[in-house]
Amino acid sequence: MASTTTPRKNDTLLSRRQIEGLIADGRSIIIVNGEVLKVDPWLKYHPGGDKAIRHMVGRDATDEVTALHSLEAQKQMQRYRIGRFDGRWANFVPPIQGGRFRQYCEATSEEESEEDYPEHQAPSSDISRAPSPVFDTAEPTARRRIHSRDDPLLSSASSISSTTEPEDGMSYLDAQTKEQINLDIAKYPSLDLNTQDEVVQKYRLLDQRLKEEHLYDCNYTAYAIEGCRYTFLFCMMLLFLRLGWYATSGLFLGCLWHQLVFTVHDAGHMGITHNFHVDTTIGIIIADFIGGLSVGWWKRNHNVHHIVTNSPEHDPDIEHLPFFAISHRFLESLTSSFYERVMAYDAFAKFILPYQAYLYYPILTFGRFNLYFLSWEYLIRGLGPKKGPAWWHRWLELTGQVFFWYWFGYIIMYKTIPTASERLSFLMVSHMITMPLHAQITLSHFAMSTAELGPHESFPQKMLRTTMDVDCPQWLDFFHGGLQFQAVHHLFPRMPRHNLRRAQKLVQEFCVDVGIPYALYGFVDGSKQVIGRLGEVGRQAAILAKCQRVTAEKGDILHGH
C-alpha cells in the first residue's frame, strides 16, 4: 500500500500581491523563513510591545525574530501561520513607516507584473510629510570597500557639500539627507538583493558558529563575581549611611545602580538563564525593587531600538528633542511612530540645540530622573500587555515600585537622613553618579549613521552601519558592563555579555569578509565623535535658522512690508 503524506496545515502558497492585499486590509503580515504569519492576535500580548512587530509588517523578519527570540518563542509563532511564500521575498516599507499598499483584486492581479513591484515602494523620508524626491529615486548600485577605523569616511561629521548656503530651509535639509545617504552608499555593500543575500547568508553561518563554540552559554562564575561587587557596593552604602557621610553613601548607591543596570540588560534579553519567566523576574527584582525603574518600559522601548536602530522617526533611543538632535532631520519636527506625537522643533529646541555639544554631559547627569518619568508613564497608563505570558509583569512591577519608594524614599531619605540639605545631597549624588551609564548608552549610536537606505538593507548591515564598539582593556569590562560591545550585541542580542569579547574577533572577520566597515573607537575617541556629531547638527540648526530668516525677509519684501 502506497504511503500518503498529510498536507501541512495552512500550507497555502500565497503570492506577493495577495500578501500586499492583506496588509492593505489592515492585517499584520510578516515573513519568517518563507512562512507567512498573520500576527494580529499577538500584537496586544507581545511582551516586547506591539511597535516592534509593526516595524516588521511586510518584511522578511527571519533574522530579527531569530536574534531576539528563543527557539520556544519561534515555535509558538507557528500558530499564526496562514501560508507560505515561494522564492526570495523583497521587503515592503511597513505601514508604520509610511509604506503604501494596494488592495488585492483577483481579476486584475494576474495582469500586473510582480517582478518590478518591489520598487514601487520607495522608502519615505519620514511619516510626517509627503515623500521627498530624495527618497523616491531608484537605489544606486554601490561599490564595495573595506575601511579601516582611520578612514575619513567613518567620521561622524559629514562636510557640507557646498559653500553656498541654500536659501530655502527644506531644500537645505533635503540636500543634507541626500548627502548622508550617498556617503553610506559609498561606504557599505550594495543594496541589490544578491549582495544583501550574501551578507545574510554569511551572518547566519556566523551565528551557527557562535552556537557551536558555546558562546550562547551563560558564564555563571562571572555572575558570582558580579554578585560580590554588588554586595561590596551595597555594604559601603550602608556603612557610610550609618556614619552620617550621606554624600559618600549616595555615591556608593549610585555606583551600585550603575552596575546593576548591566544585569537588567542581560535579563531583558534572556541572556542569563534563557528562560523567559526566570530572567524577567530577575530583571524586575533588580530594576523595580532595587532601582525604581520599569523593565516593561525598557523592553517596549529597547526592542524597537534593536529593529529600527538610529532611525530618527522610529527609534526612541535617539528621540530626545528638545535637548538633543543627532540628525538634521529632527529639525523638521518629525512625527515619532513610537511616542505617536510630533517631536516639535520649537522655540526652546531652537535655543538649546546650537549649544547641545556643551550641554551633553550636564544634561546626562540628570538622566535617571527622566527614566523615572518614563517608567511611571508606562505602568500608570498600562502600556504593557494585559493578557498572555506577560500579563503579571505590570502588577509585579507596581509592587516593586512601592517597595523601592518605601526603602529609598521613606526609610533612607525621610527616616534615616536628618536634614533637608543632607537629603538633597544624598539624592543628587546617588543619581548624578550614574551619568556614565547614560553616556555609555548613547556613545555607541549618537555618532553613527541615521540615514535610511531603504527596505532591502539586511539586518546585519543595518546594525553594523548604525552601531559602534568601544575599545577598552579587558580589566575594564566590568565598568562598561558589555555596552562596549554594542555592535556585537546588536547582531546577537541574546548572547551573554561575558562572551561578547570572544565573539568580537569573529564579528570583525565577518565584516572583512563581506566588506562592511566595523566601527571601533576608544572611549575618548568615541566620545569625541559624539560631541562632534552634536556640534555638527548644532551648526546645521544655525544654518537652517539663517535660511528661514532669509526666506521670511524675502517674503516680507514681496508683500510690500
Side-chain angles (χ1 to χ4, degrees):
M1 181 177 178
S3 61
T4 58
T5 302
T6 303
R8 188 176 179 182
K9 183 181 179 182
N10 298 331
D11 203 37
T12 306
L13 185 63
L14 297 174
S15 70
R16 181 179 178 83
R17 281 292 289 115
Q18 288 175 310
I19 294 171
E20 183 196 7
L22 289 171
I23 299 174
D25 291 336
R27 305 292 187 269
S28 298
I29 307 296
I30 65 175
I31 313 298
V32 178
N33 290 317
E35 298 180 337
V36 182
L37 308 182
K38 185 170 76 68
V39 295
D40 299 79
W42 184 239
L43 289 175
K44 59 183 178 181
Y45 300 137
H46 184 225
D50 65 307
K51 295 287 172 60
I53 297 177
R54 294 186 191 278
H55 282 292
M56 288 290 96
V57 172
R59 295 177 57 88
D60 185 331
T62 302
D63 292 317
E64 289 85 346
V65 166
T66 302
L68 292 166
H69 296 81
S70 64
L71 288 176
E72 180 184 6
Q74 294 177 49
K75 290 178 181 177
Q76 291 176 352
M77 293 179 190
Q78 291 298 311
R79 72 181 74 174
Y80 304 111
R81 188 176 192 270
I82 61 171
R84 58 185 177 87
F85 178 79
D86 190 18
R88 202 277 185 197
W89 178 261
N91 291 328
F92 289 120
V93 176
I96 194 174
Q97 297 179 13
R100 299 178 178 88
F101 296 82
R102 299 178 297 177
Q103 298 284 337
Y104 176 71
C105 180
E106 191 171 354
T108 60
S109 63
E110 294 181 0
E111 301 174 5
E112 298 174 342
S113 172
E114 294 187 4
E115 293 298 323
D116 297 330
Y117 190 67
E119 278 68 44
H120 93 282
Q121 278 199 338
S124 62
S125 60
D126 58 70
I127 62 175
S128 62
R129 66 173 186 171
S132 165
V134 172
F135 297 92
D136 290 340
T137 55
E139 297 169 354
T141 302
R143 61 185 180 277
R144 281 196 178 192
R145 294 180 59 191
I146 299 177
H147 300 265
S148 71
R149 54 193 287 187
D150 298 322
D151 194 314
L153 280 177
L154 283 179
S155 172
S156 66
S158 62
S159 61
I160 297 176
S161 57
S162 173
T163 57
T164 303
E165 296 170 6
E167 294 181 353
D168 175 68
M170 292 306 295
S171 64
Y172 168 73
L173 293 178
D174 280 344
Q176 291 297 301
T177 298
K178 190 170 184 178
E179 180 180 16
Q180 190 179 68
I181 290 174
N182 289 337
L183 282 172
D184 279 358
I185 286 174
K187 285 193 294 184
Y188 291 89
S190 169
L191 297 178
D192 71 84
L193 300 183
N194 289 334
T195 300
Q196 291 301 303
D197 283 348
E198 182 182 356
V199 172
V200 168
Q201 181 184 16
K202 292 183 177 180
Y203 163 71
R204 293 175 181 176
L205 289 174
L206 173 60
D207 184 46
Q208 184 59 40
R209 180 179 176 183
L210 296 174
K211 291 176 181 175
E212 292 173 354
E213 295 192 15
H214 303 286
L215 293 183
Y216 278 92
D217 297 344
C218 186
N219 181 357
Y220 293 109
T221 301
Y223 276 106
I225 298 173
E226 300 281 353
C228 294
R229 185 180 302 117
Y230 302 156
T231 302
F232 169 76
L233 293 172
F234 180 71
C235 290
M236 294 301 290
M237 183 271 289
L238 291 179
L239 173 63
F240 285 105
L241 187 66
R242 183 175 181 83
L243 294 175
W245 293 29
Y246 300 117
T248 306
S249 176
L251 183 148
F252 279 102
L253 178 59
C255 291
L256 175 62
W257 283 338
H258 174 268
Q259 289 289 302
L260 285 173
V261 164
F262 304 141
T263 298
V264 175
H265 183 249
D266 298 342
H269 282 293
M270 292 188 296
I272 300 177
T273 69
H274 307 301
N275 180 284
F276 171 72
H277 294 293
V278 174
D279 279 2
T280 297
T281 302
I282 292 173
I284 291 176
I285 290 174
I286 296 175
D288 290 88
F289 284 75
I290 302 177
L293 304 178
S294 167
V295 166
W297 160 78
W298 177 84
K299 281 189 177 184
R300 184 172 183 264
N301 181 99
H302 199 67
N303 285 346
V304 172
H305 164 69
H306 268 269
I307 291 172
V308 288
T309 309
N310 264 27
S311 172
E313 300 86 0
H314 312 297
D315 182 0
D317 272 17
I318 65 169
E319 295 177 345
H320 300 298
L321 276 182
F323 299 105
F324 299 127
I326 66 168
S327 169
H328 60 274
R329 289 161 66 190
F330 285 105
L331 310 182
E332 303 176 75
S333 292
L334 300 182
T335 298
S336 167
S337 64
F338 184 84
Y339 293 111
E340 298 179 352
R341 60 175 173 80
V342 174
M343 295 178 289
Y345 182 52
D346 55 19
F348 184 71
K350 291 177 182 178
F351 173 75
I352 288 290
L353 291 189
Y355 308 101
Q356 62 176 352
Y358 305 99
L359 297 173
Y360 174 62
Y361 291 114
I363 290 176
L364 290 185
T365 303
F366 300 94
R368 192 172 184 88
F369 294 103
N370 182 52
L371 298 185
Y372 287 142
F373 171 78
L374 294 171
S375 297
W376 297 337
E377 180 187 38
Y378 171 84
L379 293 172
I380 292 172
R381 292 179 58 189
L383 298 178
K386 297 178 177 62
K387 295 182 180 180
W391 70 268
W392 52 274
H393 290 187
R394 184 191 182 201
W395 304 108
L396 184 58
E397 287 203 88
L398 287 171
T399 303
Q401 291 292 317
V402 172
F403 179 82
F404 171 79
W405 288 106
Y406 174 75
W407 75 260
F408 176 75
Y410 180 72
I411 297 297
I412 293 182
M413 291 284 294
Y414 181 72
K415 296 289 288 183
T416 305
I417 302 177
T419 67
S421 61
E422 289 171 325
R423 289 169 186 159
L424 181 62
S425 174
F426 179 84
L427 175 70
M428 297 309 295
V429 170
S430 63
H431 285 65
M432 294 171 69
I433 202 68
T434 63
M435 184 275 287
L437 172 65
H438 304 288
Q440 289 167 315
I441 292 172
T442 59
L443 179 60
S444 292
H445 299 293
F446 269 26
M448 298 301 289
S449 173
T450 58
E452 299 288 353
L453 299 189
H456 306 318
E457 183 178 27
S458 64
F459 171 74
Q461 178 165 314
K462 181 174 178 62
M463 294 303 102
L464 290 164
R465 182 172 61 84
T466 56
T467 312
M468 76 160 70
D469 272 0
V470 177
D471 195 16
C472 74
Q474 187 169 354
W475 66 267
L476 201 56
D477 283 354
F478 81 94
F479 176 75
H480 291 285
L483 299 184
Q484 75 275 35
F485 301 115
Q486 280 290 288
V488 184
H489 169 68
H490 269 253
L491 291 175
F492 311 104
R494 290 184 299 108
M495 181 179 294
R497 64 176 154 115
H498 302 102
N499 296 336
L500 292 175
R501 179 173 287 277
R502 290 169 57 196
Q504 186 184 51
K505 295 180 180 179
L506 299 179
V507 170
Q508 289 173 319
E509 293 175 4
F510 162 78
C511 288
V512 172
D513 188 23
V514 299
I516 295 179
Y518 181 84
L520 178 65
Y521 294 91
F523 186 82
V524 174
D525 289 338
S527 298
K528 289 179 179 178
Q529 294 290 319
V530 171
I531 298 298
R533 169 62 61 83
L534 294 172
E536 178 196 15
V537 177
R539 290 190 293 272
Q540 290 171 341
I543 294 173
L544 176 62
K546 183 177 179 180
C547 293
Q548 292 171 337
R549 284 196 301 270
V550 171
T551 302
E553 290 170 0
K554 285 192 172 184
D556 290 340
I557 294 173
L558 291 174
H559 288 87
H561 295 296

